[in-house]
Amino acid sequence: MPKLSSDTLWELAAAEVQSREGGGGEEDGGETVSERSVFLMGSKAGGKTSILLRCLDRDEPSKPTLALEYTFGRRARGHNTPKDIAHIWELGGGTSLSDLVQIPITPASIRSLSVILILDLSKPNALWGTMEKLLQAAQAQLEKVFSQTQQAKKSKPGAKHQTPAPSAARVLPKDHPDRELISPFPVPLLIIGSKYDVFQEFDSDKKKVVSKTLRFIAHYYAASLIVSVVLLYMQKTVSIDTNKPLIIPAGSDTFSQIGSPPSADVDITSLHAKNPKDLWKKVYERVFPQESTSEQRELKDPAKDPQYSELQIDAMRAQKDQELEQYKRNAAKSWKGLELET
């Protein structure tokens, strides 16, 4: 395995392809190096990059994510052991670039893929729409990839295709009361509620609506849930009190513990819901009318962004821009000349 700290991006890409073709891991001193892929998505400016940098122990200021960005992390499992590798993709722009999920979610990555959804608790009026659109986009791509993998398996009976089974068996024990009631996300999913310091200043009734709704969604998708000031803090005991930070590993909650949607100001009987998830959505949107999720693509031109400056390339780009403008002026003069002749 090449040294990731010094290789170029192209060398890293080549090494990853070779690793995938060889089965997703390499032998290092007789031990298998584990590689996993992690895909982060969520609310625009919701703290995804900050959480990622903390996870990687990188002490550097976070910058706005431009479209879809890739990074990696390496960590040893113990002393004098090979370092496991995490390929990490981060989607920027909130829901506006959800079509880019097709890049990190591929037949090669789903064997070891986990998804992290980060929702900005300080903006509850955009929370459900953001959650719904991003999960739908990711799930649609996952189902597409699963279908492609199954077709490839049928066409090549001898080929090995290890794909995760999107079933309750992945996280729920056989005796779990909600085993037949949930709809597990196709791959491991972690939902994080960010900006808890702002959220904890909300009215207690509104906090209860948000917290219980997140508990329901996480359990419905068989996902883990963290709603806490210190986002990466994991305690040994499960915390399901909606008045406190939430730490709920997948499969640790139940619908009976969650209860019905908080509806002090909403008549549930007047809501025409198709299923429990739709009922929770209608109640939530009565309390927090959702803003439009059709976010405009306000992404800056990366060629003009100082953080991506390259002296020689920028000088060449400026020269080509001048040549283009000169070409446009000459073309306009030629066109005027033809019009005068006619």
Side-chain angles (χ1 to χ4, degrees):
M1 187 75 182
K3 296 181 180 179
L4 297 180
S5 58
S6 60
D7 286 344
T8 66
L9 180 60
W10 298 111
E11 289 170 334
L12 291 173
E16 182 177 352
V17 170
Q18 292 174 359
S19 173
R20 288 175 176 177
E21 290 177 346
E26 291 187 8
E27 295 294 329
D28 187 348
E31 295 190 44
T32 302
V33 178
S34 174
E35 295 194 29
R36 294 196 60 85
S37 297
V38 180
F39 178 37
L40 279 79
M41 59 183 185
S43 305
K44 185 175 182 179
K48 297 183 294 295
T49 304
S50 298
I51 294 172
L52 175 58
L53 291 174
R54 290 186 61 185
C55 182
L56 296 175
D57 294 327
R58 294 181 183 174
D59 185 15
E60 59 186 75
S62 61
K63 300 176 182 178
T65 302
L66 182 68
L68 181 69
E69 295 189 1
Y70 168 83
T71 188
F72 61 88
R74 304 200 332 164
R75 182 167 297 176
R77 283 168 281 182
H79 185 61
N80 291 331
T81 60
K83 292 184 177 181
D84 294 335
I85 302 168
H87 302 283
I88 306 171
W89 297 88
E90 180 187 355
L91 179 67
T95 61
S96 63
L97 298 172
S98 58
D99 54 336
L100 293 180
V101 299
Q102 61 185 302
I103 296 175
I105 301 176
T106 64
S109 70
I110 58 172
R111 292 178 299 174
S112 60
L113 178 68
S114 295
V115 174
I116 300 178
L117 175 66
I118 299 174
L119 300 172
D120 187 345
L121 299 176
S122 70
K123 298 177 181 178
N125 295 85
L127 187 146
W128 187 284
T130 298
M131 175 272 299
E132 186 173 53
K133 184 169 183 179
L134 290 176
L135 287 183
Q136 286 178 348
Q139 189 158 9
Q141 176 63 15
L142 283 164
E143 291 173 355
K144 178 181 178 181
V145 169
F146 285 137
S147 177
Q148 292 173 347
T149 304
Q150 292 302 316
Q151 291 177 1
K153 186 176 181 180
K154 291 178 180 179
S155 62
K156 298 179 180 179
K160 294 182 179 180
H161 296 275
Q162 298 176 351
T163 57
S167 67
R170 177 165 49 81
V171 290
L172 297 186
K174 293 181 179 180
D175 59 348
H176 196 286
D178 301 332
R179 191 177 171 86
E180 304 299 326
L181 303 176
I182 66 172
S183 178
F185 201 68
V187 297
L189 172 65
L190 168 62
I191 299 176
I192 295 178
S194 65
K195 301 188 180 180
Y196 185 82
D197 54 336
V198 178
F199 173 69
Q200 64 183 350
E201 300 299 325
F202 283 15
D203 174 79
S204 59
D205 289 338
K206 290 187 176 181
K207 284 196 299 183
K208 185 176 182 180
V209 172
V210 174
S211 296
K212 289 192 68 173
T213 299
L214 287 177
R215 281 184 63 188
F216 172 83
I217 290 298
H219 187 53
Y220 178 79
Y221 284 111
S224 296
L225 175 65
I226 300 178
V227 177
S228 176
V229 178
V230 184
L231 292 174
L232 298 179
Y233 170 72
M234 288 296 288
Q235 59 191 47
K236 292 182 179 180
T237 58
V238 176
S239 175
I240 61 174
D241 186 345
T242 53
N243 295 313
K244 298 178 181 179
L246 301 175
I247 309 290
I248 309 176
S252 300
D253 216 341
T254 65
F255 287 133
S256 61
Q257 289 179 315
I258 297 170
S260 59
S263 55
D265 301 323
V266 181
D267 181 11
I268 293 183
T269 59
S270 66
L271 303 177
H272 302 286
K274 296 176 290 185
N275 50 55
K277 180 168 168 279
D278 191 42
L279 176 62
W280 278 84
K281 176 181 179 180
K282 290 181 181 297
V283 171
Y284 186 88
E285 291 182 340
R286 285 288 184 92
V287 180
F288 299 105
Q290 294 296 282
E291 300 171 353
S292 173
T293 57
S294 57
E295 301 165 331
Q296 296 182 350
R297 303 192 178 195
E298 301 174 349
L299 300 176
K300 297 179 180 178
D301 183 352
K304 299 177 182 179
D305 193 326
Q307 70 171 315
Y308 302 111
S309 61
E310 293 283 352
L311 185 61
Q312 294 180 341
I313 296 176
D314 292 343
M316 182 62 70
R317 169 68 183 268
Q319 178 183 334
K320 293 299 181 182
D321 286 343
Q322 291 177 357
E323 293 176 359
L324 178 60
E325 290 301 320
Q326 185 62 45
Y327 173 80
K328 289 180 179 179
R329 287 194 290 269
N330 293 339
K333 290 179 181 178
S334 299
W335 182 254
K336 282 187 177 181
L338 290 174
E339 288 181 333
L340 291 174
E341 291 177 3
T342 57

